[in-house]
Amino acid sequence: MGKVIAIEHLTLDGVMQAPGHPEEDPRDGFRHGGWASLRQDPVMQEVMGARMSSAWALLAGRTTYERFAAFWPKQEANPFTEALNRVEKYVASSTLAEPLPWENSFLLKGDVTDAVAALKEELPENLVVFGSGVLVRALMARGLVDELVLLIHPLVLGEGRRLFSGSESEELELVDSVATTAGVIVATYRPETRG
C-alpha cells in the first residue's frame, strides 16, 4: 500500500501560489509568481530527487497537470524530466477528458477522494503530489495525506492562495528537517495519528 506525499513550496505566511515562474498562476490578480525559483540549490534538489528515485506515481490536480504537461516533455534530458515523463500520472479533473496528452496519464473517475483512497490500496508505490492546492486540501480533509514535505522559503508575500485555509485542525509530527544553503527549511511532517 502506497502513501500520499504532498511536496509544497510555501512562504512563511503559507502562500503556495505560483512558485515556479512569473506567469505561472495569476489567478485572483496574483502578481508575485516565481518566488521560489530564486532559492533553488543542491540541497533542495537532493531532497526532491530522493522522493523521485524510488517507486512512485504522480498525483495532480488539473491546473498543475496542465502546466507540467506543457513544460516537462519539452525539456532536455535530465533526471527530473526523465522521472516525470516515465511515471504514471493520475489526474483529478472534472473538465479534462481522456486521452490525456502526456504519456502515462490517467484521469481519475468519480469522487477524487474515493479514487485516491482506492489507489492507495491498489498501488504499491507512493503517490507524490506537487502543488495542486485544491486537491491537497480535499485529501487532507479526508485524512488521505500521509506526509507533507514543506519547503518553507524565507519570504512573506501577504497575499495569494495558501495551503492551509485556516479551518483545519490537525496535529503534525516533525519527522525530518534540513536547511538549504539558500535559507529554505525543508520540513517533513506526518499526521500524529499515522505512523
Side-chain angles (χ1 to χ4, degrees):
M1 180 168 124
K3 295 181 179 180
V4 172
I5 301 171
I7 301 175
E8 305 293 348
H9 288 272
L10 297 178
T11 64
L12 286 174
D13 56 340
V15 173
M16 65 179 296
Q17 186 171 3
H21 59 85
E23 299 82 28
E24 182 178 351
D25 184 2
R27 289 179 290 179
D28 306 323
F30 189 72
R31 54 189 166 76
H32 304 293
W35 52 268
S37 60
L38 303 173
R39 292 179 181 84
Q40 299 289 327
D41 77 345
V43 174
M44 188 181 299
Q45 291 175 355
E46 183 179 321
V47 169
M48 301 294 276
R51 298 287 176 191
M52 299 168 72
S53 62
S54 60
W56 66 289
L58 179 66
L59 176 61
R62 179 194 54 83
T63 301
T64 300
Y65 174 79
E66 288 181 329
R67 291 197 173 104
F68 275 30
F71 180 79
W72 286 107
K74 299 174 186 169
Q75 301 309 302
E76 291 183 18
N78 66 65
F80 287 108
T81 299
E82 292 167 10
L84 286 166
N85 285 332
R86 179 186 69 246
V87 300
E88 291 187 342
K89 294 161 264 298
Y90 297 94
V91 184
S93 173
S94 60
T95 58
L96 294 178
E98 290 184 319
L100 296 174
W102 196 6
E103 64 182 299
N104 302 320
S105 295
F106 307 95
L107 193 60
L108 296 175
K109 309 285 193 254
D111 177 82
V112 67
T113 59
D114 289 342
V116 170
L119 275 176
K120 282 181 68 169
E121 294 295 324
E122 295 168 16
L123 298 176
E125 66 264 24
N126 292 331
L127 292 162
V128 177
V129 186
F130 299 103
S132 302
V134 173
L135 173 61
V136 170
R137 283 189 292 277
L139 297 175
M140 285 191 303
R142 175 106 179 250
L144 292 171
V145 175
D146 300 289
E147 197 169 275
L148 287 166
V149 180
L150 305 180
L151 295 91
I152 306 165
H153 293 252
L155 173 68
V156 174
L157 294 178
E159 64 179 352
R161 293 177 181 237
R162 289 170 166 74
L163 176 60
F164 303 104
S165 66
S167 62
E168 302 89 353
S169 177
E170 184 170 19
E171 293 284 330
L172 300 173
E173 176 189 4
L174 180 66
V175 295
D176 189 39
S177 65
V178 63
T180 73
T181 57
V184 176
I185 302 295
V186 182
T188 303
Y189 293 96
R190 290 187 189 130
E192 283 196 343
T193 56
R194 283 170 255 162

